[in-house]
Amino acid sequence: MDKKNIAILILPDVQLLDVAGPTDVFHTANEILKKVGYGAPYQLHYLSALKSETVTSNSGIKLQCDASIFNITTPIDTLIIAGTHPNLFENLDETAYTWLKQIYPQVNRLASICVGTFLMAKSGLLKNKTVTTHWKYAGLLKVCILKFMLTPDLFF
């Protein structure tokens, strides 16, 4: 099986579960695939949305990323945007939005967890798309960006 680079984009005040969850899923997939002779095709990369490669979670734990959006050289197959607090997007450096718009055509899959959807929306990537987010923030997302269809009770 070909190697697949999975990048988890980590924003300030990230929810640790939004990083740990996908990490465990791909780790388990690699373990299962190794047992049946396919090796470990999923290579996880932790990517900071800041100039610093260290990002502090909402619980105060510092996460050391492999790279940042300012210096990544690894091609990304799947980009997962981890969730944070939706107020972050009001003050997030515009570079993060620009980078996401630029990288979007180069990735095979783009996903978000919880309010990571806000980053995609504010980057203009959700026009004419059906999306969902955490039920608690669905109304805020709909008010902020009205260029896509929101399905607040959709489960993926």
Side-chain angles (χ1 to χ4, degrees), residues 126-153:
L126 299 181
K127 292 178 184 170
N128 302 315
K129 305 278 188 199
T130 301
V131 301
T132 193
T133 190
H134 188 285
W135 63 266
K136 183 177 177 182
Y137 301 110
L140 178 60
L141 185 61
K142 190 171 185 178
V143 167
C144 291
I145 297 115
L146 298 173
K147 296 180 180 172
F148 54 91
M149 297 293 296
L150 177 71
T151 307
D153 57 351

PDB file of all heavy atoms in Angstrom, residues 126-153:
ATOM      1  N   LEU A 126     -16.178  26.595   1.500  1.00  0.00           N
ATOM      2  CA  LEU A 126     -17.435  25.876   1.699  1.00  0.00           C
ATOM      3  C   LEU A 126     -18.589  26.419   0.863  1.00  0.00           C
ATOM      4  O   LEU A 126     -19.733  26.031   1.090  1.00  0.00           O
ATOM      5  CB  LEU A 126     -17.811  25.890   3.189  1.00  0.00           C
ATOM      6  CG  LEU A 126     -16.803  25.223   4.107  1.00  0.00           C
ATOM      7  CD1 LEU A 126     -17.292  25.273   5.542  1.00  0.00           C
ATOM      8  CD2 LEU A 126     -16.519  23.794   3.684  1.00  0.00           C
ATOM      9  N   LYS A 127     -18.293  27.278  -0.085  1.00  0.00           N
ATOM     10  CA  LYS A 127     -19.356  27.802  -0.937  1.00  0.00           C
ATOM     11  C   LYS A 127     -20.038  26.646  -1.660  1.00  0.00           C
ATOM     12  O   LYS A 127     -19.389  25.777  -2.231  1.00  0.00           O
ATOM     13  CB  LYS A 127     -18.795  28.798  -1.945  1.00  0.00           C
ATOM     14  CG  LYS A 127     -18.303  30.066  -1.302  1.00  0.00           C
ATOM     15  CD  LYS A 127     -17.703  31.010  -2.307  1.00  0.00           C
ATOM     16  CE  LYS A 127     -17.131  32.210  -1.577  1.00  0.00           C
ATOM     17  NZ  LYS A 127     -16.345  33.053  -2.454  1.00  0.00           N
ATOM     18  N   ASN A 128     -21.365  26.645  -1.590  1.00  0.00           N
ATOM     19  CA  ASN A 128     -22.190  25.620  -2.240  1.00  0.00           C
ATOM     20  C   ASN A 128     -21.905  24.208  -1.721  1.00  0.00           C
ATOM     21  O   ASN A 128     -22.069  23.238  -2.452  1.00  0.00           O
ATOM     22  CB  ASN A 128     -22.029  25.681  -3.763  1.00  0.00           C
ATOM     23  CG  ASN A 128     -22.411  27.034  -4.303  1.00  0.00           C
ATOM     24  OD1 ASN A 128     -23.431  27.606  -3.922  1.00  0.00           O
ATOM     25  ND2 ASN A 128     -21.585  27.576  -5.179  1.00  0.00           N
ATOM     26  N   LYS A 129     -21.466  24.098  -0.492  1.00  0.00           N
ATOM     27  CA  LYS A 129     -21.212  22.798   0.136  1.00  0.00           C
ATOM     28  C   LYS A 129     -22.210  22.580   1.260  1.00  0.00           C
ATOM     29  O   LYS A 129     -22.698  23.518   1.866  1.00  0.00           O
ATOM     30  CB  LYS A 129     -19.800  22.750   0.734  1.00  0.00           C
ATOM     31  CG  LYS A 129     -18.692  23.073  -0.220  1.00  0.00           C
ATOM     32  CD  LYS A 129     -18.324  21.896  -1.041  1.00  0.00           C
ATOM     33  CE  LYS A 129     -17.073  22.248  -1.828  1.00  0.00           C
ATOM     34  NZ  LYS A 129     -16.839  21.420  -2.938  1.00  0.00           N
ATOM     35  N   THR A 130     -22.492  21.334   1.533  1.00  0.00           N
ATOM     36  CA  THR A 130     -23.282  20.978   2.700  1.00  0.00           C
ATOM     37  C   THR A 130     -22.304  20.574   3.785  1.00  0.00           C
ATOM     38  O   THR A 130     -21.450  19.717   3.564  1.00  0.00           O
ATOM     39  CB  THR A 130     -24.237  19.807   2.380  1.00  0.00           C
ATOM     40  OG1 THR A 130     -25.091  20.213   1.319  1.00  0.00           O
ATOM     41  CG2 THR A 130     -25.055  19.430   3.595  1.00  0.00           C
ATOM     42  N   VAL A 131     -22.407  21.208   4.955  1.00  0.00           N
ATOM     43  CA  VAL A 131     -21.448  20.962   6.028  1.00  0.00           C
ATOM     44  C   VAL A 131     -22.190  20.801   7.348  1.00  0.00           C
ATOM     45  O   VAL A 131     -23.383  21.087   7.447  1.00  0.00           O
ATOM     46  CB  VAL A 131     -20.421  22.108   6.154  1.00  0.00           C
ATOM     47  CG1 VAL A 131     -19.652  22.276   4.870  1.00  0.00           C
ATOM     48  CG2 VAL A 131     -21.091  23.404   6.559  1.00  0.00           C
ATOM     49  N   THR A 132     -21.436  20.384   8.330  1.00  0.00           N
ATOM     50  CA  THR A 132     -21.972  20.315   9.683  1.00  0.00           C
ATOM     51  C   THR A 132     -20.871  20.717  10.649  1.00  0.00           C
ATOM     52  O   THR A 132     -19.704  20.813  10.269  1.00  0.00           O
ATOM     53  CB  THR A 132     -22.529  18.908  10.000  1.00  0.00           C
ATOM     54  OG1 THR A 132     -23.283  18.972  11.188  1.00  0.00           O
ATOM     55  CG2 THR A 132     -21.433  17.875  10.094  1.00  0.00           C
ATOM     56  N   THR A 133     -21.238  20.974  11.868  1.00  0.00           N
ATOM     57  CA  THR A 133     -20.292  21.290  12.924  1.00  0.00           C
ATOM     58  C   THR A 133     -20.921  20.858  14.242  1.00  0.00           C
ATOM     59  O   THR A 133     -22.021  20.304  14.254  1.00  0.00           O
ATOM     60  CB  THR A 133     -19.932  22.798  12.924  1.00  0.00           C
ATOM     61  OG1 THR A 133     -18.824  23.013  13.814  1.00  0.00           O
ATOM     62  CG2 THR A 133     -21.101  23.677  13.329  1.00  0.00           C
ATOM     63  N   HIS A 134     -20.262  21.134  15.315  1.00  0.00           N
ATOM     64  CA  HIS A 134     -20.802  20.819  16.633  1.00  0.00           C
ATOM     65  C   HIS A 134     -22.141  21.538  16.792  1.00  0.00           C
ATOM     66  O   HIS A 134     -22.272  22.716  16.452  1.00  0.00           O
ATOM     67  CB  HIS A 134     -19.813  21.271  17.710  1.00  0.00           C
ATOM     68  CG  HIS A 134     -20.163  20.828  19.083  1.00  0.00           C
ATOM     69  ND1 HIS A 134     -21.174  21.417  19.811  1.00  0.00           N
ATOM     70  CD2 HIS A 134     -19.655  19.844  19.855  1.00  0.00           C
ATOM     71  CE1 HIS A 134     -21.259  20.825  20.984  1.00  0.00           C
ATOM     72  NE2 HIS A 134     -20.349  19.865  21.035  1.00  0.00           N
ATOM     73  N   TRP A 135     -23.136  20.858  17.322  1.00  0.00           N
ATOM     74  CA  TRP A 135     -24.477  21.434  17.439  1.00  0.00           C
ATOM     75  C   TRP A 135     -24.472  22.749  18.208  1.00  0.00           C
ATOM     76  O   TRP A 135     -25.253  23.658  17.920  1.00  0.00           O
ATOM     77  CB  TRP A 135     -25.440  20.439  18.106  1.00  0.00           C
ATOM     78  CG  TRP A 135     -25.061  20.086  19.517  1.00  0.00           C
ATOM     79  CD1 TRP A 135     -24.308  19.020  19.917  1.00  0.00           C
ATOM     80  CD2 TRP A 135     -25.375  20.826  20.713  1.00  0.00           C
ATOM     81  NE1 TRP A 135     -24.139  19.046  21.286  1.00  0.00           N
ATOM     82  CE2 TRP A 135     -24.786  20.150  21.804  1.00  0.00           C
ATOM     83  CE3 TRP A 135     -26.098  21.992  20.972  1.00  0.00           C
ATOM     84  CZ2 TRP A 135     -24.896  20.585  23.110  1.00  0.00           C
ATOM     85  CZ3 TRP A 135     -26.193  22.427  22.290  1.00  0.00           C
ATOM     86  CH2 TRP A 135     -25.607  21.730  23.331  1.00  0.00           C
ATOM     87  N   LYS A 136     -23.582  22.871  19.184  1.00  0.00           N
ATOM     88  CA  LYS A 136     -23.528  24.077  20.007  1.00  0.00           C
ATOM     89  C   LYS A 136     -23.155  25.314  19.191  1.00  0.00           C
ATOM     90  O   LYS A 136     -23.534  26.429  19.551  1.00  0.00           O
ATOM     91  CB  LYS A 136     -22.515  23.856  21.129  1.00  0.00           C
ATOM     92  CG  LYS A 136     -22.407  24.992  22.119  1.00  0.00           C
ATOM     93  CD  LYS A 136     -21.432  24.611  23.229  1.00  0.00           C
ATOM     94  CE  LYS A 136     -21.212  25.739  24.212  1.00  0.00           C
ATOM     95  NZ  LYS A 136     -20.232  25.357  25.238  1.00  0.00           N
ATOM     96  N   TYR A 137     -22.412  25.116  18.088  1.00  0.00           N
ATOM     97  CA  TYR A 137     -21.913  26.237  17.293  1.00  0.00           C
ATOM     98  C   TYR A 137     -22.568  26.345  15.919  1.00  0.00           C
ATOM     99  O   TYR A 137     -22.203  27.205  15.125  1.00  0.00           O
ATOM    100  CB  TYR A 137     -20.399  26.125  17.142  1.00  0.00           C
ATOM    101  CG  TYR A 137     -19.691  26.115  18.469  1.00  0.00           C
ATOM    102  CD1 TYR A 137     -19.072  24.971  18.937  1.00  0.00           C
ATOM    103  CD2 TYR A 137     -19.687  27.250  19.277  1.00  0.00           C
ATOM    104  CE1 TYR A 137     -18.444  24.961  20.181  1.00  0.00           C
ATOM    105  CE2 TYR A 137     -19.065  27.244  20.518  1.00  0.00           C
ATOM    106  CZ  TYR A 137     -18.442  26.101  20.957  1.00  0.00           C
ATOM    107  OH  TYR A 137     -17.833  26.087  22.185  1.00  0.00           O
ATOM    108  N   ALA A 138     -23.521  25.493  15.630  1.00  0.00           N
ATOM    109  CA  ALA A 138     -24.159  25.495  14.316  1.00  0.00           C
ATOM    110  C   ALA A 138     -24.823  26.836  14.005  1.00  0.00           C
ATOM    111  O   ALA A 138     -24.696  27.362  12.897  1.00  0.00           O
ATOM    112  CB  ALA A 138     -25.173  24.358  14.209  1.00  0.00           C
ATOM    113  N   GLY A 139     -25.530  27.397  14.960  1.00  0.00           N
ATOM    114  CA  GLY A 139     -26.190  28.683  14.741  1.00  0.00           C
ATOM    115  C   GLY A 139     -25.195  29.791  14.466  1.00  0.00           C
ATOM    116  O   GLY A 139     -25.400  30.624  13.574  1.00  0.00           O
ATOM    117  N   LEU A 140     -24.097  29.817  15.215  1.00  0.00           N
ATOM    118  CA  LEU A 140     -23.062  30.827  15.014  1.00  0.00           C
ATOM    119  C   LEU A 140     -22.431  30.690  13.632  1.00  0.00           C
ATOM    120  O   LEU A 140     -22.210  31.686  12.940  1.00  0.00           O
ATOM    121  CB  LEU A 140     -21.988  30.701  16.094  1.00  0.00           C
ATOM    122  CG  LEU A 140     -20.803  31.650  16.015  1.00  0.00           C
ATOM    123  CD1 LEU A 140     -21.258  33.105  16.103  1.00  0.00           C
ATOM    124  CD2 LEU A 140     -19.799  31.325  17.123  1.00  0.00           C
ATOM    125  N   LEU A 141     -22.173  29.468  13.216  1.00  0.00           N
ATOM    126  CA  LEU A 141     -21.587  29.243  11.899  1.00  0.00           C
ATOM    127  C   LEU A 141     -22.538  29.718  10.801  1.00  0.00           C
ATOM    128  O   LEU A 141     -22.123  30.368   9.845  1.00  0.00           O
ATOM    129  CB  LEU A 141     -21.258  27.759  11.711  1.00  0.00           C
ATOM    130  CG  LEU A 141     -20.523  27.373  10.437  1.00  0.00           C
ATOM    131  CD1 LEU A 141     -19.170  28.054  10.356  1.00  0.00           C
ATOM    132  CD2 LEU A 141     -20.354  25.862  10.373  1.00  0.00           C
ATOM    133  N   LYS A 142     -23.798  29.431  10.961  1.00  0.00           N
ATOM    134  CA  LYS A 142     -24.790  29.831   9.960  1.00  0.00           C
ATOM    135  C   LYS A 142     -24.905  31.358   9.879  1.00  0.00           C
ATOM    136  O   LYS A 142     -25.013  31.920   8.797  1.00  0.00           O
ATOM    137  CB  LYS A 142     -26.147  29.210  10.282  1.00  0.00           C
ATOM    138  CG  LYS A 142     -27.159  29.376   9.176  1.00  0.00           C
ATOM    139  CD  LYS A 142     -28.400  28.562   9.469  1.00  0.00           C
ATOM    140  CE  LYS A 142     -29.368  28.640   8.310  1.00  0.00           C
ATOM    141  NZ  LYS A 142     -30.546  27.828   8.544  1.00  0.00           N
ATOM    142  N   VAL A 143     -24.862  32.036  11.013  1.00  0.00           N
ATOM    143  CA  VAL A 143     -24.952  33.496  11.039  1.00  0.00           C
ATOM    144  C   VAL A 143     -23.705  34.120  10.424  1.00  0.00           C
ATOM    145  O   VAL A 143     -23.798  35.084   9.670  1.00  0.00           O
ATOM    146  CB  VAL A 143     -25.147  33.999  12.487  1.00  0.00           C
ATOM    147  CG1 VAL A 143     -24.933  35.498  12.581  1.00  0.00           C
ATOM    148  CG2 VAL A 143     -26.531  33.628  12.993  1.00  0.00           C
ATOM    149  N   CYS A 144     -22.535  33.574  10.738  1.00  0.00           N
ATOM    150  CA  CYS A 144     -21.277  34.157  10.265  1.00  0.00           C
ATOM    151  C   CYS A 144     -21.077  34.002   8.770  1.00  0.00           C
ATOM    152  O   CYS A 144     -20.615  34.911   8.099  1.00  0.00           O
ATOM    153  CB  CYS A 144     -20.095  33.522  10.989  1.00  0.00           C
ATOM    154  SG  CYS A 144     -20.005  33.959  12.721  1.00  0.00           S
ATOM    155  N   ILE A 145     -21.386  32.866   8.260  1.00  0.00           N
ATOM    156  CA  ILE A 145     -21.122  32.570   6.851  1.00  0.00           C
ATOM    157  C   ILE A 145     -22.357  31.916   6.254  1.00  0.00           C
ATOM    158  O   ILE A 145     -22.704  30.801   6.592  1.00  0.00           O
ATOM    159  CB  ILE A 145     -19.902  31.647   6.690  1.00  0.00           C
ATOM    160  CG1 ILE A 145     -18.663  32.356   7.226  1.00  0.00           C
ATOM    161  CG2 ILE A 145     -19.663  31.310   5.241  1.00  0.00           C
ATOM    162  CD1 ILE A 145     -18.065  31.741   8.395  1.00  0.00           C
ATOM    163  N   LEU A 146     -23.005  32.623   5.350  1.00  0.00           N
ATOM    164  CA  LEU A 146     -24.269  32.143   4.796  1.00  0.00           C
ATOM    165  C   LEU A 146     -24.125  31.611   3.373  1.00  0.00           C
ATOM    166  O   LEU A 146     -25.106  31.485   2.659  1.00  0.00           O
ATOM    167  CB  LEU A 146     -25.302  33.277   4.814  1.00  0.00           C
ATOM    168  CG  LEU A 146     -25.643  33.800   6.202  1.00  0.00           C
ATOM    169  CD1 LEU A 146     -26.533  35.029   6.111  1.00  0.00           C
ATOM    170  CD2 LEU A 146     -26.309  32.725   7.032  1.00  0.00           C
ATOM    171  N   LYS A 147     -22.916  31.284   2.934  1.00  0.00           N
ATOM    172  CA  LYS A 147     -22.685  30.895   1.552  1.00  0.00           C
ATOM    173  C   LYS A 147     -22.702  29.387   1.329  1.00  0.00           C
ATOM    174  O   LYS A 147     -22.272  28.904   0.321  1.00  0.00           O
ATOM    175  CB  LYS A 147     -21.358  31.466   1.073  1.00  0.00           C
ATOM    176  CG  LYS A 147     -21.379  32.976   1.046  1.00  0.00           C
ATOM    177  CD  LYS A 147     -20.067  33.513   0.577  1.00  0.00           C
ATOM    178  CE  LYS A 147     -20.141  35.033   0.568  1.00  0.00           C
ATOM    179  NZ  LYS A 147     -18.893  35.657   0.316  1.00  0.00           N
ATOM    180  N   PHE A 148     -23.154  28.636   2.313  1.00  0.00           N
ATOM    181  CA  PHE A 148     -23.218  27.192   2.145  1.00  0.00           C
ATOM    182  C   PHE A 148     -24.408  26.667   2.919  1.00  0.00           C
ATOM    183  O   PHE A 148     -25.015  27.380   3.699  1.00  0.00           O
ATOM    184  CB  PHE A 148     -21.916  26.517   2.613  1.00  0.00           C
ATOM    185  CG  PHE A 148     -21.537  26.885   4.016  1.00  0.00           C
ATOM    186  CD1 PHE A 148     -21.965  26.126   5.085  1.00  0.00           C
ATOM    187  CD2 PHE A 148     -20.773  28.006   4.265  1.00  0.00           C
ATOM    188  CE1 PHE A 148     -21.623  26.470   6.377  1.00  0.00           C
ATOM    189  CE2 PHE A 148     -20.434  28.358   5.555  1.00  0.00           C
ATOM    190  CZ  PHE A 148     -20.855  27.593   6.600  1.00  0.00           C
ATOM    191  N   MET A 149     -24.735  25.435   2.672  1.00  0.00           N
ATOM    192  CA  MET A 149     -25.871  24.800   3.347  1.00  0.00           C
ATOM    193  C   MET A 149     -25.359  24.157   4.629  1.00  0.00           C
ATOM    194  O   MET A 149     -24.423  23.393   4.608  1.00  0.00           O
ATOM    195  CB  MET A 149     -26.477  23.733   2.438  1.00  0.00           C
ATOM    196  CG  MET A 149     -27.057  24.268   1.153  1.00  0.00           C
ATOM    197  SD  MET A 149     -28.491  25.291   1.432  1.00  0.00           S
ATOM    198  CE  MET A 149     -29.603  24.100   2.139  1.00  0.00           C
ATOM    199  N   LEU A 150     -25.996  24.460   5.728  1.00  0.00           N
ATOM    200  CA  LEU A 150     -25.615  23.883   7.009  1.00  0.00           C
ATOM    201  C   LEU A 150     -26.641  22.844   7.417  1.00  0.00           C
ATOM    202  O   LEU A 150     -27.842  23.097   7.371  1.00  0.00           O
ATOM    203  CB  LEU A 150     -25.546  24.982   8.091  1.00  0.00           C
ATOM    204  CG  LEU A 150     -25.217  24.495   9.486  1.00  0.00           C
ATOM    205  CD1 LEU A 150     -23.756  24.054   9.556  1.00  0.00           C
ATOM    206  CD2 LEU A 150     -25.463  25.593  10.501  1.00  0.00           C
ATOM    207  N   THR A 151     -26.163  21.671   7.782  1.00  0.00           N
ATOM    208  CA  THR A 151     -27.017  20.608   8.286  1.00  0.00           C
ATOM    209  C   THR A 151     -26.541  20.311   9.703  1.00  0.00           C
ATOM    210  O   THR A 151     -25.631  19.528   9.901  1.00  0.00           O
ATOM    211  CB  THR A 151     -26.904  19.350   7.390  1.00  0.00           C
ATOM    212  OG1 THR A 151     -27.149  19.735   6.042  1.00  0.00           O
ATOM    213  CG2 THR A 151     -27.898  18.304   7.818  1.00  0.00           C
ATOM    214  N   PRO A 152     -27.131  20.963  10.728  1.00  0.00           N
ATOM    215  CA  PRO A 152     -26.606  20.848  12.089  1.00  0.00           C
ATOM    216  C   PRO A 152     -26.722  19.471  12.704  1.00  0.00           C
ATOM    217  O   PRO A 152     -25.990  19.167  13.630  1.00  0.00           O
ATOM    218  CB  PRO A 152     -27.427  21.878  12.876  1.00  0.00           C
ATOM    219  CG  PRO A 152     -28.630  22.119  12.069  1.00  0.00           C
ATOM    220  CD  PRO A 152     -28.273  21.849  10.634  1.00  0.00           C
ATOM    221  N   ASP A 153     -27.596  18.616  12.217  1.00  0.00           N
ATOM    222  CA  ASP A 153     -27.747  17.313  12.851  1.00  0.00           C
ATOM    223  C   ASP A 153     -27.145  16.171  12.027  1.00  0.00           C
ATOM    224  O   ASP A 153     -27.373  15.014  12.298  1.00  0.00           O
ATOM    225  CB  ASP A 153     -29.218  17.031  13.132  1.00  0.00           C
ATOM    226  CG  ASP A 153     -30.087  17.094  11.886  1.00  0.00           C
ATOM    227  OD1 ASP A 153     -29.580  17.523  10.824  1.00  0.00           O
ATOM    228  OD2 ASP A 153     -31.257  16.716  11.963  1.00  0.00           O
TER     229      ASP A 153
END
